[in-house]
Every structure is written in C-alpha cells, then in structure tokens.
Amino acid sequence: MTTALLFATGAILIIAVLALVYRIITLVGIAKGDQKKTKVTTSNKINAALFPIVLIVGSGLIMWSFNDAKQFFLPEAASIHGKETDHLFWITMGIVFTAFALTHLLLFTFPFLFQFSEKRKADFNPHNDTLEIAWTAVPAIVMAVLVIFGWRAWADITAPATEDAIQVELMGKQFAWEIRYPGKDLKLGRYDVANIDNTNSMGVDYDDVNAQDDFTAREIYLPVGREIELKIRAIDVIHSVFLPHFRVKMDAVPGMPTRFKFTPTITTAEMRQKTNNPKFNYELACTEVCGYGHFGMRKLVKVVTQKEYDEWLMKQKPWLEKNPDYLSQWEAKKAKTASVAKSH
Amino acid sequence: MSSVALDVESKDVHSHDDHEHHGNFWTNYVFSFDHKVIAKQYLISGIFWAIIGGGLSLLFRIQLGFPEANLEWLRPLLGDWITESGKMDTTFYLAAVTMHGTIMVFFVLTAGLSGTFSNFLIPLQIGARDMASGFMNMLSYWLFFLASVIMFASLFASTGPASGGWVIYPPLSALPQAVSGSGIGMTLWLVSMVFFIASSLLGSINYISTVINLRTAGMSFAKMPLTIWSFFITAIIGTLSFPVLFAAALLLVFDRSFGTSFYLSDIYIQGELLEHSGGSPILFQHLFWFLGHPEVYIVLLPALGLTSEVISTNSRKPIFGYRAMIGSMLGIAFLSFIVWAHHMFVSGMNPFLGTIFMFLTLIIAVPSAVKAFNYITTLFRGNIIFTPAMLFSIGLVSLFISGGVTGIILGNSALDIQLHDTYFVVAHFHLVMGSAAFFGMMAGVYHWYPKMFGRMMNSAMGYVHFWLTFIGAYMVFFPMHYIGIAGFPRRYYSFTNFDAFSTFTDLNTFISIAAILTVTAQFIFVFNFFWSMFRGRLAPLNPWNATTLEWTTPRKPGHGNWPGALPVVYRWPYDYSKPDADKDGFTDFIPQNVPLSKTEHSNTPEEKVLAQLDEKFDQLGEEREKNPFI
Ligand code: HEM
Ligand SMILES: [Cu+2]
Ligand SMILES: [Cu+2]
C-alpha cells in the first residue's frame, strides 16, 4: 500500500511539474507573440544544446553504471569453451561499442553544430559514392572477421564429444530436472516416455542391459578437467538447460533429444575461493518458458576433483538396486502390454 | 484489376471539397472507404492498444522491481490474479508478458504503424485519389478490429489469456494442462491472429497494387519518397511472410483441437501419456520465425521510412544516398527471409544450420549500418529545425544504432549460447525494434498530424514528451544489457531462487521506476493528441516547408484528396536547399510538382536535359485524369 501511495504521489508530482512547465512555455510564447517572424523559436536552441548535454551526461552514466554493474557479472567462465566465447564476446563488444560511441558522437553533436541559423544555408549534398562504398565495405569486412572467429568457436563447441566423455542425462519436466548417470558401463540405457510411471519417472527401459546400472542423482556432480556430454531431453514442454557459469545452454525438447559437450575447468571449491564467497554454488537454470514454475527450475552443480568424483561414484547405487521392487512391477507391466498387443 | 478500376472511377473526383460530405455517419466515419479515415481508425486503435500493452508492462515491472511488495492494491484490477498473500500470481505474470509482447508487436507496431501511415501517406504522397480498393481497405481495418475485439476479450478469459510467450512455442501453447493460458485464452489468441493476418494481407495487397498502379503522372519509382518505398517493401515482406504464420497457427489449431501431431511427440504430462507422436516442436519454431524475423522489419522499415522524410525535411537537406537507402531496404527485405534461424541457435537444430544462419545474419548488419550512416550524414551541414517529429527521428536513429549493434553479438552463434533468452536479448530488441519503431511512429504522428486533423499539435508538449521518452527508454533498456551479461533469464517471475541471479535487485527497481515514469510521460502525448484535435492552432498548408505532394492538398483534404486535377510530378522529393533555387524564386525547398522548366537556374546538368520532358508529363497527367490506369 505504501508503494502504491508513493507511486501515486510521484505521478501526481510529475504531472504537476509538467503542467507547470507547459503553462510557462505557453505564457512565454504568448508574451512573445509566439507565431513568429523567424522560422524557429528559442526552443530550437534549447533542443540543439540538449543533444551534446545528453551525450556528455550519458557517456558519464554509461561508464559509471558499467563499472558499478561489473561486480555482479558472472565470475570467469568455468569451462574451456566458455573462456573462448567470453573473450570473443568482449572483443565483439569492444568493436560494437566503438561503433556505437563514434556514431553517437556525430549524431549528438551534429544537431548542435548544424542547428538552424538564418545566416546559413544547408549543403545540397545528395550522395558521395566513395564515402558510401567505404562505409559499406568497412562493416562488411569487420563482419567477415567476426563470422570467421564465431564460426571456429561454434564448430569446436558443437563438434561430437570424444569417446571418453562422461555422459550425463538431464531431463526437464514441469518443474524440475532429473539427472541420470550411466553407471559402471559408462552407457546410458534406453528410455521411452511410455515407460514412465510413479516410480520410474524418467521412463528408463529396464529391458536394456545398459540401463541396469544407471543411477539417478539429486545434484549434478562433475569432475574437473573431463569432457562432459550432456544428453538433454524433456517429457512435457520445451525447457532449456542453462549453466550460466559454464556458458552452456541447450533446449530440452520433447521428442527430440539434444546434447551439449563442455569441459569444466574450475572446481566448486576453487570458485568459492576465487569469488571470495564460501557459499558459492554452480547452478542449472531453465531458460525456456515452460509454465508457472519456470523461474524455479534449479539444480545444483558440483564440480569436484577427479578423486572426489571417483569417491562419489563409488557411493552411488544403481537405481534398480535402490528400488528393488520395481523390476517385478516392470515385468508385470511388460507382460500386460504384450498380452494386450497379442489380443488385438 | 477491373474491379479495382471501378472502385476508383466510381468516385466523383472533381466535385469534392473540404466541407462537403456525402453519405451518412456510418459510411463516412465507420465503414468508410476513404484511406484517410481508415488511417485514423488504425491510429486511434493503435493508441488504445499501446495503452493496454504499456499497462501490462507496468504490471510485470512492478513485480520485477518490487518482488517483496504487497500487491493487494491491485486486486480491484486483477481480482484473483492476486494471491491471498498479496502476491501476483505466477501464471498471470506469464500471461502479462505474453500479451504485452503480442499486443506491442502486432497490434501497436504492425497495425498501428503500417496501418496508419501506409494508408494515410501512400495515396497522398504518390498523388492518388485513394487506395486501389477502398472496399478491401475498409475490410482490412474491420478485420483488424475484429481481431482486436477477440484479443481483448481473451484478456478476460477465466483461465487467463495466452501465456506461453508471444512466440507461442508448442507444446506449451498446445496443451491446456501445461499452462492454464493454453486453454480458451490460446484459442482466442489463435482466432484473433487469423483475422489479424487476413487484415494484414488485405492491407498489404492494397498498398502494393496502389503503389504500382496509381502513381500520378511523373511519379516514377525513382522519384518516390522513401516513406513510400518503405511501405511498399514492408507490404511485400508482409504478403510473403504472414501466410507462413497462418500455416503455423493452423497446424497448431489442428494439434490443439483435432488430435493431430504436427508439433507434438513423446509427451507425458500430469501423469498422463499423450497419444501424439511423430511431431516436431522445432518445426513450429522454423515456421514461426520465418514470419517472426521478417516481422521485426515489418515493424521497423515503415518507421525508418517516416524518419527519412522527417530528417531530410527538417535538416533542410536532401536525404543522403537516396539510392543507397532504397538499395539497403531491398537488401534488408531480401535478407530478412533467410536469417530466421538465428532465433534458434540453441533450439537443438543441426549446428551446421547455425553456421549458415550466423553468416547470413551478420550480412544483414551491413545494409542496416549503411542506413544509420546515411541518416547521420544527412544531418551534417544541414540547417536543422527541431520539430518534435525531428527529435523523435534523431531519437530513432540513436536507438536503432544502440539496439542494432548488439544484434551483431547475438547473431554470432557461439556468443548467443550464453545470451539467448537472457535480458541481453530483451535489451536488444526493445531498443532496436520496440523503441525505434515507437519513435518512428511518434515522429510520423507529430509530422503528419496537421494533414490528418488540419491542426497543429502543441510543440512544447512535444519537446517535453520527447526528452522524457528518450531518456526514459534508455534508462529502462540500457541497464538490461548488464542484467543480461550477468545471465538473468527472461520471463522469470522472480530471481530469488537462484544464487547467481540474486543480485541487481536495486537495478531492477530502478528500471521499474524508470518504466513507470516513461509510460506516464506518454499521457502528455495522449493529451496533446486529443486536445489539439479541437483546440490546436489551425495548420498552415505546408507547415514544415516540405516538398512532397501531400502538402499540396487543402488543409483538410476531402474525398479524392485534390479538389482539382491530380498534381504532376517532375522531380525527386528531396530538393531542399538547392543551390540557386532563389534565382528561380524559391526559398530552401522546391516541391515535387514544380516543373523543371520553371527552375532553370537551379537545375543540375541532367535536369536541364530532363526539363524537356516536362510537357510529356503534363500530357500524361491530363490523360491519367481520364483513365488512372495508364
Ligand atoms: C543488425 C542487425 C541485427 C542482428 C544481427 C540481429 C540479431 C538478432 C539475434 C541473433 C537475435 C536472437 C537472439 C536470441 O534470442 O538469442 C535477435 C533477436 C531479436 N531481434 Fe534482432 N538483430 C538485428 C536487428 C534487429 C532489428 C532491426 C530488429 C527489429 C526491428 C530486431 C528485433 C529482434 C527481436 C524482436 C528479437 C527477439 C525476439 C524474441 O526472442 O522474442 N533485430 N536479433
Ligand atoms: Cu522453464
Ligand atoms: Cu531475427
């Protein structure tokens, strides 16, 4: 309620001030006999002068706000490709910011320099081929260079994962992520949404031998320095896997499995030191709107040393072991569908 | 063509003037065939929608800026969308974001902008009595009106309006069990958009045929104002891309209501396995963005066209690089059809496609850059008069640049991995499309208001309106870059669930306050707009000393636009500050309908040769009076 009152008073105040300004301007206008012998009034000068003023104040604000905001940017990228794309991002940002600054320098000073004057006449200068070719060519070349760098980074990132990459399955659903590891055989078993039931929430196909030792986890554990291949899918609507600290993003699409490979380079513990934040954690977020709980689809990511990872692996039990009753249930279900299929 | 011809010829073109009105209230003001009336209908509908769309944005900005606040005071407005604990409902948040996007992109910036100015200016600037088909034009508006009514009604659906984002990706938009807005709200959304598309197509076809067929004698394509070029190109883009949205929507309707599986497969939701199988959600995205990307140019190009005209007129200089401007618009139009998948780099599509689309996307930055340079050079050594329209045009150029440059970052697929669906994208398109197009629209209203209503808008209010809006737009959208670099995802109801996104609370509050102030400032315009209609100073015939044909009509042009014969065009529209014009008896501009033979001193060498053709144009003009289709 207080906020509402605050806004209401704020709005009223502003309107009052504007009304006053307007009233004064019109009164002055009337006093001066407004509709004028000259082509323009003093307001032309004011508007002309406001552009360079906005330019100067604006530049100051941009610099200050950037410096102030920097502290809240994500810490350094914690993956190999992330380092590269960050680098490319800031270089590109430098280039486009220069373009932005130079064009604005002209755009905001010309109005002041070339404001109306009775004494001057505008140039009649309809075109200039050299100039036009130059400013077509320069952006074209810059774009070409950027494309080449972007293309190389993109090709690396999207290349197939190596043989010994660790596979981790992430499954999005409203409104949670589920995580599955391949177990000792390093192979994820098959799945099918049709297998989903109250226990088997990922629809894993336990007829597949590769699935027998698969295990699920509540957090994403990753060893540092190893290539990870995320196997991404969704079972209801589109979600999107976003690991901001690793510069990883890939949609999770029902009916169309996707993938993303990356190599974490900084453990959670190291990052806690780097950021001076003992509570720091890597996080997984959803970045494709998926319903009312979209903003809450979070999972923790723990990057640990290889040794810690191995220890953790040792402790994990296959899902089937943790759900000993399930296999009989599974067989019964299979038998039922088989007999239904036969009777048709 | 014959029916088109009938439409025009059936108009008794010579006998009309300002004060004569035939027909009754219904035919003059409601189901009017007159392009000027239809333009005003579009404009006022656009203003109405802008208020709704802006209001929705304030609702979700309040949530983002003041996540802790008790919003009980909004209950009279939102009813049960405010939960018992005084919080905004999370589904409502999504609905507000979705409807804000839909309304702004389609109803304000497509219909409100193109509909208003293509209708108003095409006949007036090419020297035509009206559109090729007044009937289709009338139908176009009323289909838009119908679409508006349906979309507006959807806001009051008990399960809420569509809430899957303005891009309505299935399966979210296809399954009512996924989000309540995908129930009746989504149905209404789709039905409304079908009428909207039909309206847009009727309009576009009309614009195209009018520009091709009804240009007055002498108005060759090479003498057409850039406004007309931009409307013409926009209409072509619209005709080619909107049908694809129609197809996408139709297939979605089938999936939703008739059990087909174009977009759906392998879905298990709410404890239930769906029968759909074999469809592809990505297919929808391809279809949607095949319209979606051209759409952003459908929104922007008319704004750029209006700006070209306003900047040239008020710099008292010819637009710099007239041909390059047309060339770059054609280039943008062509390229806009082959960059759509840059919205889908991380959608799971084949990464090789990503490479191709990155390449094509970065090419489109080149013609865009050329346009920006040309505007700036037009100002160089001009003699600039700052009308409100001129201020908004300069503002547009600024916003177009600051939003456009980040497109170069986003178009790089490797960089887009991190930035996609974060606030960085929100910053990008609100500057380059939202704000820039809005500024173009404002420039257009301030500049052509005198021709629309025969009165002047108050310029002092215009100045205040401009500076508040310009500074406000930057205050709102510039900081979003920072939030985006920090990784904040868009369409989040709140950020407190994540450690990574728990910063920037002050900045979000700042943005929300800036947004509230900026939206409030728009009421200065609304007041000025309606007040000036009745109380504004009577407009002189050519208040901005412009060269184009609309300023040769009476103060309030009647049906048929010119009481006498149609003007004949002899020169391009940018003869401002031509050297030696004073020796020919002109000040700093020579209107398009002044024969070259009357301006011997100021003619360029080529024009000296062309001057001999004047008589031919006169003859053509006379013949065209008898038959407008030659
Ligand atoms: C300089 C040329 C431009 C380039 C290279 C460019 C590039 C891009 C890219 C790559 C995206 C996708 C970002 C993402 O979702 O991750 C994007 C989004 C967008 N762009 Fe641009 N853009 C340019 C100019 C424009 C213009 C002129 C407009 C409008 C008039 C525009 C409007 C949009 C919109 C509306 C979106 C976001 C749509 C959404 O996801 O809801 N862009 N742009
Ligand atoms: Cu989500
Ligand atoms: Cu695009």
Side-chain angles (χ1 to χ4, degrees), chain A residues 189-256:
Chain A
R190 281 195 307 263
Y191 59 84
D192 188 335
V193 279
N195 298 334
I196 298 179
D197 53 42
N198 286 340
T199 332
N200 184 3
S201 59
M202 293 182 86
V204 178
D205 178 353
Y206 288 105
D207 286 342
D208 183 3
V209 280
N210 292 334
Q212 309 282 335
D213 60 350
D214 291 357
F215 66 86
T216 54
R218 303 171 129 235
E219 289 171 358
I220 305 173
Y221 259 77
L222 303 172
V224 71
R226 288 286 298 277
E227 187 166 281
I228 313 292
E229 183 169 40
L230 299 178
K231 298 284 193 180
I232 301 165
R233 63 189 175 102
I235 56 163
D236 40 33
V237 300
I238 303 177
H239 303 268
S240 188
V241 168
F242 181 33
L243 301 169
H245 303 93
F246 305 98
R247 319 299 192 246
V248 167
K249 189 175 291 134
M250 181 52 70
D251 283 3
V253 187
M256 193 189 84

Side-chain angles (χ1 to χ4, degrees), chain B residues 289 292-293 296 339-340 342-343:
Chain B
W289 288 112
H293 188 84
V296 304
V339 300
W340 77 88
H342 64 211
H343 298 272

Side-chain angles (χ1 to χ4, degrees), chain B residues 162-184:
Chain B
S163 9
W166 77 281
V167 299
I168 55 156
Y169 284 180
L172 187 60
S173 60
L175 306 173
Q177 55 276 55
V179 65
S180 64
S182 292
I184 180 77

Side-chain angles (χ1 to χ4, degrees), chain A residues 9 22 27 70 95 101 111 120-121 135 153 160 163 192 194 205 211 224 233 246 305 314 343:
Chain A
T9 28
Y22 167 65
L27 284 179
K70 229 171 27 186
I95 294 173
R120 267 206 358 264
K121 190 170 177 194
W135 72 39
E163 282 290 309
D192 188 335
D205 178 353
V224 71
R233 63 189 175 102
F246 305 98
T305 62
M314 297 297 281
S343 71

Side-chain angles (χ1 to χ4, degrees), chain B residues 55-90:
Chain B
L56 284 167
S57 77
L58 290 192
L59 289 177
F60 61 74
R61 258 340 301 187
I62 288 174
Q63 165 61 28
L64 290 171
F66 308 92
E68 309 287 310
N70 186 326
L71 302 181
E72 200 55 49
W73 56 279
L74 281 172
R75 188 178 297 282
L77 184 64
L78 300 182
D80 286 345
W81 293 119
I82 299 293
T83 64
E84 274 165 24
S85 50
K87 296 283 170 203
M88 185 176 291
D89 181 85
T90 56

Side-chain angles (χ1 to χ4, degrees), chain B residues 377-574:
Chain B
T377 317
T378 305
L379 298 176
F380 180 65
R381 311 190 66 163
N383 209 10
I384 304 171
I385 298 165
F386 297 99
T387 61
M390 181 63 169
L391 294 173
F392 273 98
S393 298
I394 296 175
L396 177 150
V397 178
S398 167
L399 294 159
F400 178 53
I401 295 174
S402 53
V405 292
T406 50
I408 294 165
I409 300 178
L410 294 171
N412 194 325
S413 54
L415 305 183
D416 189 52
I417 294 171
Q418 176 71 5
L419 298 171
H420 175 66
D421 267 345
T422 65
Y423 268 81
F424 200 83
V425 177
V426 180
H428 160 70
F429 72 79
H430 275 94
L431 288 172
V432 75
M433 174 170 87
S435 306
F438 180 79
F439 273 53
M441 187 167 164
M442 285 299 133
V445 174
Y446 279 109
H447 194 79
W448 279 282
Y449 190 93
K451 195 83 281 170
M452 288 183 178
F453 299 100
R455 289 175 185 271
M456 305 296 284
M457 284 181 86
N458 179 288
S459 48
M461 278 196 267
Y463 299 143
V464 177
H465 174 218
F466 167 75
W467 286 107
L468 289 179
T469 312
F470 186 59
I471 293 167
Y474 269 115
M475 292 292 174
V476 173
F477 298 119
F478 201 87
M480 288 189 187
H481 292 112
Y482 303 144
I483 299 180
I485 293 172
F488 285 47
R490 56 195 284 213
R491 300 179 178 137
Y492 264 34
Y493 170 81
S494 86
F495 293 101
T496 44
N497 287 319
F498 290 84
D499 298 344
F501 312 136
S502 57
T503 53
F504 279 134
T505 43
D506 292 345
L507 194 55
N508 265 321
T509 313
F510 173 83
I511 291 177
S512 293
I513 293 175
I516 291 165
L517 294 181
T518 313
V519 171
T520 313
Q522 303 318 303
F523 287 95
I524 303 175
F525 168 79
V526 175
F527 173 73
N528 196 353
F529 183 86
F530 289 105
W531 184 78
S532 302
M533 242 183 241
F534 307 100
R535 305 288 304 275
R537 183 162 58 83
L538 286 190
L541 283 183
N542 188 355
W544 321 117
N545 296 326
T547 54
T548 39
L549 295 183
E550 72 273 29
W551 307 109
T552 63
T553 59
R555 183 174 73 88
K556 279 176 101 172
H559 220 38
N561 295 337
W562 283 269
L566 287 175
V568 177
V569 165
Y570 303 91
R571 59 181 71 236
W572 78 329
Y574 300 106

